[in-house]
Structures are given as structure tokens and as C-alpha cells.
Amino acid sequence: MTNNVAEGWVARTQSGSRRDIQPSSGVACHQALQDGDVLRSSVTLDSLRLCACAVLFIACAAHAELVCDGVLGNSGEQGGTLVRFGRGQKAAGMGVVCDRFGSLWDRGGSGVLNRYALDGRVLAQYKIPEGGGGNDLLTSSGDLLIMLVGNRVLTLPIDAPAGTEVKPLKVEAQLISFGSKDGQVAYFAKGKLGLLNPMSGEVKELCAVKDAHAIELGPDGAIYVSANGKVQKYVDGQPAGDGWPRGTPGERIQYLDGYFYGSAWHGTLRRFTAALQPDPGVVLGGSSGSFIGHLDQNSELSNSRGLAKVRDNLFAASGIAGVLHLLEWQPDKKQFQIIRRIGAAPNCNSLGLDKSGRIWWQVGAWKWNDRPDAPLEQGINSGDEIGPGVMLDNDRLVAPGRMWGKPTFFVGALHDELKTYRIDKDCTMPKNITGTAVYKSSGKSILLAIDKSGSGQSFLIGEDGTFQKELPPVTLNAATPVKEWTTLAMKNETTLLAAGDGAVIELSPDGKDWKETKRWSSWADGQKFGARISISSDAGRLWVSDTERHRVIVFDLQSGQKLAQFGTEDKAGTDLQSLAFPQLLIARGDRAVVHDGSNQRFVKLVLK
């Protein structure tokens, strides 16, 4: 993907002069953006990573050291500008507003409204009602933000200090419009279409409407109602004739910069004329409705929540999971190009890492040297659940999970789009998979998947990772009960490693099951794991993410000797020398990637 966003659109200083920006008002936000150096492509987040990587040396016989090689998945990168999303019930983006100061607004997880600089730093956060629904929407009229959360309409001035409470209006609505005219937005409530003045809370009913999935207010005052694949135009409360209703460009219909836009699956955006004719139709993604074949997609933009124009040929798009993306309009191609990801990585259930350093996270992949704001590539449709990935000897990944309610295997090389194989019958997949491992039995590859109770299911897979058939359930027979199992790894072909209750548990084959032979949670220098750990093994080493003690430790698998450590034990931090509640990790050769849980980012580690 191109880095054109650096050509005059990025406000970020180098690490030597960068200061944390936490303004108390919109004016301060504007000043902070103006003060930041506008950088060219030669100064990117890579420079921050290279000059600020941490080395924490732990003396040991091997004299190894574990160093940070940068972060991924969080456009704020480190410190006070880290992006954080709310972790309550699932909440999508609401749409994006670009205010007159040049900052961007969108919901970041449940109960949180985030304000961003264009380079991805978080500038301020505001508390909004948790939860909501698929019709939630964020727009603006002048210097006032208007948002629909659930059926509640709320407002917030764009110059409000961080932490200011949003103001609820005494208005309930099922839908509001992106567009505004004369300070009013359109609304739909209880079968009635009307206009709402968000400053006063006054409403004016216009007409009854049988059904509405989305509404938009055009610059001429006409209201457009989208339902069942058609758009009807209303003028002064009356439905227009002259060829109306017309075809819709997709979900979340929006009039912007002279065109109608709509979204669809597969990261698709469509552009139509003001008369609702395709111009050219699909401008991002591959879901045209008639194309047979394959086009790249960004799953984080599936069913995009809305667009904002930032300046000439630069737009921002709100994502289904609350992640924003900056888009560059390419007039010659009549297409959008994704150039920046703005947001965080609040959750991680699945990771992959190949020998080249390509990293896979749930719905897409990054290259090792990508910036913290890099968009995911090789996107796939998100599943209902994807368990931890296992890298096979041939550098292909296999991850068990579910898609559309069916057991699914996500398989492939990380430089290509993963394939999803849904199994219609004769396959029992555990729910909430926490641990996976692949081992050989009678020369055949077996994939084991367990949940946190230790209940396991085994599958015969091919050398390419594809599902062959279901095998009998597997029991992990521990010497003493384990309250919560987390991850699995292999020590060798006959020794399974499991993490549970803050200990590494070694197990040997016991018929179709596994039986505990050893358990350890401390080592020679008197150190001990915290109550929860995750593990990964490769190249003769065991990597341990020690969640509650905020560190990653590497051990030699044969001797059990500690080789190196990253992070300061019992001290969480947000800089590039620190971790805060690290969780799932995956290792490949001398590299590893760990989900830095509380910091909502991925930290890349190299053992030297």
C-alpha cells in the first residue's frame, strides 16, 4: 500500500521532539495539529520504532537479549497518544466526522468516543452510552456533534474538553441522517419522517413512512429513504415521482461531496451520482454483485459505517469494528486506496507468524516492517470465532474456528489470502478455543483444539492444513485440577506443553489422550510466573507471556534455562520498553509477536 498520506497529510514529530498531546479543548487540538511538523515520507513511524526500541538484558549463561522491533495495530504507538477502545459489549463505528480543526471523531468500542489527529494519535476521549445497535450514527452540524446511540440522540460541541459528558436530547429516533441543512438533520421515529434541530431539540414531523433502513438529508433539503434495496426521495414531505424510487448504492446511504455512497460486505464502497446512477459503482473492495472472481478486501471496512471528506482527494472511513481508515481518492482510476489505519487492537484470539516475519491477526496480515498505522492486507471475512493459529513446518497456518455457525478451518500461507473451509457435517468444533497444537501420530498430522476447561477435540489434517476428518475427543489428564487452560505448544513430537493456572504443564501421550508428567512455574533464580500465562514454542525455545507480571520470557526447551526477558516485572508501562498485561503470543525462529493487552497493540520482539 502506498504511503502518500505522508505527503502533506501527517502531523507527527520525530521521537526526539515529539510531545504528548492531550488538549483540553478543540482550539488546543487545532493548535497541537498546527504545531506538529508536517513530515514527508522519509519521516514515518518507522523512525520512532528504530530509535526508541527497548533492550532489557537479563544476565544468563547464553547472554541472549530480547529487543523490541516496533509495534503494530495501534496508530498511537506508545505513551499518552496510544489509542484505546472500550471493552464492553460489541460496538461498531458510528460514522466519522472531520471537524474544522482537522481532527477525526468516531466511536472506539463500547462507551467511548475518540478524537484523533490525522496521523492516528488519540487527542481526547469522551464517555458515551454503552452498547447501541446497527443504526447508531455520528454526524455534525457546524461545531456540534450529533450522535444516535440506541434510540437516544446526544450532542457534544467539538471544542468540549476531554471527558465532557455528552448531552442527551429529549428525542427518540430509530434513524438520523449524515447530512444537515440549516442546522437541522433528518430523523425517523415510529414510522414518521421529520426534521430535528439538535441545538434546541425541536422536531418537525413531515410524513409517515412505511419502512426505512437508512435516511439521508440532501443539500437541497430533500430527504432520501433507503429500504429493501430501493431509495425513495421526499420533497416537502411528499414522495417524488419521475423515476423514483431508484436503486441504492448499499448500506448506510450517505450524500457527500456531490455523490451518494453506500457500503457492503468485503470492504466494499460504492459511489453513485446525485441521481443515484453508478459512477462508477464500486470504488473500494470487491462486492459489486456481478463480479465473478477475486478482488482484495479489507475486512475492517466491511459494511463501513460512513465517510468524511478531509480535504482534496483525502477521505476517512468508519469501520465495522470502530477502526478508521484514511482513503486516497485516485481520480484517474476512480478508486479509493487505503493509506492509513487509525485505531487499536483491543482483542486478540488468533495470531500467525511465518519465517519471513509476516504476521496474521484474525482477518488480515502485516509485514514485519510495517508501521503502527499500517492497514491489514490479504483480508478475509471475519469468522464468528477464530482460535489461535498454528504454523506448520511448511510455513502454512491453520486455525480452527467457526464461520456463520459452522466449524471452519482457516488455512494458508501468510503472503496470500487465507482460505476458509466450512465443514457442513461430521465435525465437532469446541467453542471459545483457547489453545491449539499440531503433532504427528503414525506419521499423520493431528490438530488439537481445547477450550479453557481443557476439553479437547482432535482432527486429522493434511500437510497443507486442510481438514480431513474428525477424530475422537481428547482429554488432558492433569495430576491436579486446572481451573483454566490457556494455550498449547509442542516441546517435541511426544511432549505436549500446556499453560494453565500460571504453570507450564508437560504431557505425554496416553492412548488418544495426554497425561501430565511435569509441571513448573518457577526456575533457578527463584523467579515465578504470575497467575496467568500464554506460551509458544519454536526453534528449541519456549516463549512465555507472563500476563500479570507484564513481561515475556524466553527459555531453552531442553535445559529449561532462562535466556532472556522483555518488560519490567510487576511494572506495567506504555513506552516501547514496557508491556501491560501481555496475552497471546506466537514465536517463529528468533522472532515473536505478543498482544500487549492493556495497551491494545502488538509488540514485535527479536531474540539476539
Side-chain angles (χ1 to χ4, degrees), residues 526-544:
Q527 287 288 308
K528 184 176 177 65
F529 297 132
R532 180 181 176 85
I533 63 172
S534 295
I535 61 174
S536 180
S537 65
D538 193 59
R541 305 182 190 100
L542 176 67
W543 299 64
V544 180

Side-chain angles (χ1 to χ4, degrees), residues 48-231:
L48 290 173
R49 186 194 70 223
L50 293 172
C51 63
C53 284
V55 178
L56 196 156
F57 177 76
I58 301 298
C60 64
H63 293 292
E65 57 183 3
L66 195 55
V67 302
C68 168
D69 200 25
V71 305
L72 291 167
N74 194 302
S75 58
E77 190 183 41
Q78 64 171 320
T81 59
L82 269 172
V83 180
R84 288 190 174 87
F85 284 1
R87 292 180 181 268
Q89 61 191 94
K90 188 175 181 180
M94 296 192 296
V96 55
V97 166
C98 181
D99 63 30
R100 62 184 173 89
F101 302 122
S103 52
L104 303 174
W105 302 74
D106 195 6
R107 176 164 60 189
S110 183
V112 174
L113 179 68
N114 280 338
R115 185 179 194 176
Y116 304 99
L118 288 182
D119 67 351
R121 294 167 295 145
V122 68
L123 298 175
Q125 288 190 312
Y126 304 83
K127 185 178 180 181
I128 60 176
E130 294 191 359
N135 291 328
D136 290 1
L137 189 144
L138 174 68
T139 188
S140 65
S141 178
D143 284 350
L144 187 68
L145 295 174
I146 306 125
M147 62 200 84
L148 181 69
V149 181
N151 292 330
R152 302 173 63 184
V153 181
L154 310 109
T155 63
L156 179 75
I158 65 170
D159 60 355
T164 301
E165 293 187 10
V166 295
K167 177 184 176 181
L169 301 182
K170 295 180 180 179
V171 176
E172 287 193 358
Q174 284 80 61
L175 300 169
I176 63 173
S177 64
F178 286 106
S180 64
K181 180 176 173 57
D182 300 329
Q184 299 182 106
V185 297
Y187 77 93
F188 174 77
K190 298 179 180 178
K192 298 292 181 68
L193 194 65
L195 295 172
L196 162 67
N197 185 325
M199 291 294 294
S200 65
E202 295 178 355
V203 297
K204 177 184 177 182
E205 286 188 0
L206 294 177
C207 62
V209 174
K210 182 178 181 181
D211 196 10
H213 298 161
I215 61 174
E216 181 60 314
L217 179 61
D220 59 355
I223 300 176
Y224 300 84
V225 178
S226 176
N228 303 313
K230 296 290 184 179
V231 176

